[in-house]
């Protein structure tokens, strides 16, 4: 069981470039989340999904798009990267049921120059 | 979303019990209280969740008073490896919009 994996681990972009971050989970979880974490801050929710084919906005969705075409994958896209999007991005998943235990990936460190 | 307030940081000596507090004055009836731990360069890890009174698992205890406006995470006999940021979250797990806040940096000193 690999749990939650994220690709890539590190990336440097120039302003205006686009990229897609991939999150994959092998636990058959319904819910998946994308967060960003800036230095000295907690995590802020960007987008989330409650099942295959569904997505919803979180606290800071502007500048990002997501897709959940397969249950095990949740993609985060930056169409035109900006320096303000320099951050560490975490993906998480959780099963349905009476618990908020989210399982997090190792993170992707993104720098936008 | 229910807002939480935690101390920014605290130190503790190795081997001591550490109690980490969290205030959540506007907690709603359906809200649960969840704690996560985060080490540097890693994603957060779930510690414990509770609704009222006391919950205990193999790593921590969670104490919630009757009014539920605060909670205390208790870590017994901490070691250096317990140095981490601890987040208190309050919300209804059905709404998928829990807020992490800035957390409490706990440093365990030898």
């Amino acid at each position: 069981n690999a749990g939650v994996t994220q690709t890539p681990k590190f990336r440097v972009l120039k302003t205006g470039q686009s990229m897609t971050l991939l999150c994959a989970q092998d636990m058959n979880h319904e819910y998946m989340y994308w967060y960003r974490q800036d230095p000295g801050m907690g995590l802020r929710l960007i987008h989330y999904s409650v099942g295959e084919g569904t997505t919803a906005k979180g606290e800071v969705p502007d500048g990002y798009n997501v897709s959940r075409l397969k249950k095990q994958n949740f993609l985060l896209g930056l169409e035109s990267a900006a320096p303000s999007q320099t951050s560490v991005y975490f993906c998480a998943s959780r099963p349905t049921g009476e618990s908020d235990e989210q399982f997090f990936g190792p993170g992707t460190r993104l720098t936008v120059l | 979303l229910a807002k939480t307030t935690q101390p920014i940081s605290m130190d503790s000596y190795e081997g001591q019990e550490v109690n980490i507090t969290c205030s959540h004055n506007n907690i709603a009836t359906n809200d649960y209280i969840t704690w996560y731990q985060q080490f540097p360069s890693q994603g957060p890890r779930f510690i414990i969740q509770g609704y009222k009174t006391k919950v205990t698992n193999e790593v921590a205890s969670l104490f919630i008073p009757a009014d539920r406006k605060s909670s205390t995470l208790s870590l017994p006999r901490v070691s250096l490896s317990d140095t981490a940021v601890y987040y208190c979250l309050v919300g209804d797990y059905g709404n998928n919009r829990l807020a992490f806040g800035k957390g409490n940096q706990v440093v365990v000193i030898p």
Side-chain angles (χ1 to χ4, degrees):
Chain A
N1 238 359
V4 179
T5 58
Q6 294 183 231
T7 308
K9 289 184 171 53
F10 303 94
R11 185 73 185 269
V12 178
L13 291 178
K14 294 181 180 178
T15 297
Q17 287 185 318
S18 63
M19 78 162 295
T20 300
L21 282 66
L22 170 64
C23 176
Q25 52 97 3
D26 61 1
M27 298 173 283
N28 201 36
H29 289 171
E30 287 294 332
Y31 303 123
M32 296 188 74
Y33 309 83
W34 274 109
Y35 293 91
R36 63 176 288 174
Q37 184 171 36
D38 300 307
M41 302 289 290
L43 282 74
R44 292 184 291 172
L45 182 64
I46 305 172
H47 286 280
Y48 64 98
S49 168
V50 299
E52 181 178 316
T54 74
T55 63
K57 294 181 179 180
E59 180 186 357
V60 288
D62 293 342
Y64 305 95
N65 56 76
V66 289
S67 64
R68 182 100 180 269
L69 299 179
K70 294 183 178 180
K71 186 177 184 178
Q72 64 268 33
N73 295 336
F74 195 27
L75 278 65
L76 178 70
L78 286 73
E79 290 187 348
S80 180
S84 61
Q85 294 179 303
T86 294
S87 189
V88 179
Y89 292 86
F90 289 102
C91 174
S93 71
R94 77 169 176 92
T96 54
E98 294 188 354
S99 169
D100 185 56
E101 181 172 1
Q102 297 182 35
F103 297 80
F104 281 82
T108 294
R109 184 173 296 274
L110 175 66
T111 301
V112 182
L113 302 176
Chain B
L1 295 175
K3 181 180 177 181
T4 60
T5 302
Q6 298 179 248
I8 294 174
S9 65
M10 62 186 297
D11 297 340
S12 179
Y13 286 101
E14 196 173 15
Q16 288 187 332
E17 177 184 75
V18 172
N19 295 309
I20 308 169
T21 60
C22 181
S23 296
H24 27 82
N25 291 319
N26 61 341
I27 188 170
T29 302
N30 293 333
D31 287 345
Y32 279 69
I33 300 157
T34 310
W35 286 80
Y36 281 81
Q37 174 191 56
Q38 186 179 26
F39 298 114
S41 301
Q42 295 186 26
R45 185 177 70 172
F46 174 90
I47 301 174
I48 198 166
Q49 183 177 61
Y51 184 80
K52 61 180 179 180
T53 63
K54 176 183 175 182
V55 180
T56 298
N57 63 21
E58 62 275 9
V59 297
S61 295
L62 178 59
F63 298 92
I64 305 168
D67 66 4
R68 304 201 325 123
K69 294 183 183 299
S70 66
S71 58
T72 299
L73 176 72
S74 181
L75 305 174
R77 297 180 300 280
V78 293
S79 64
L80 298 178
S81 62
D82 291 315
T83 293
V85 177
Y86 292 82
Y87 295 98
C88 165
L89 286 74
V90 172
D92 176 355
Y93 48 72
N95 68 23
N96 291 294
R97 295 176 67 92
L98 295 182
F100 269 80
K102 297 183 180 181
N104 182 341
Q105 172 69 62
V106 173
V107 176
V108 179
I109 304 167

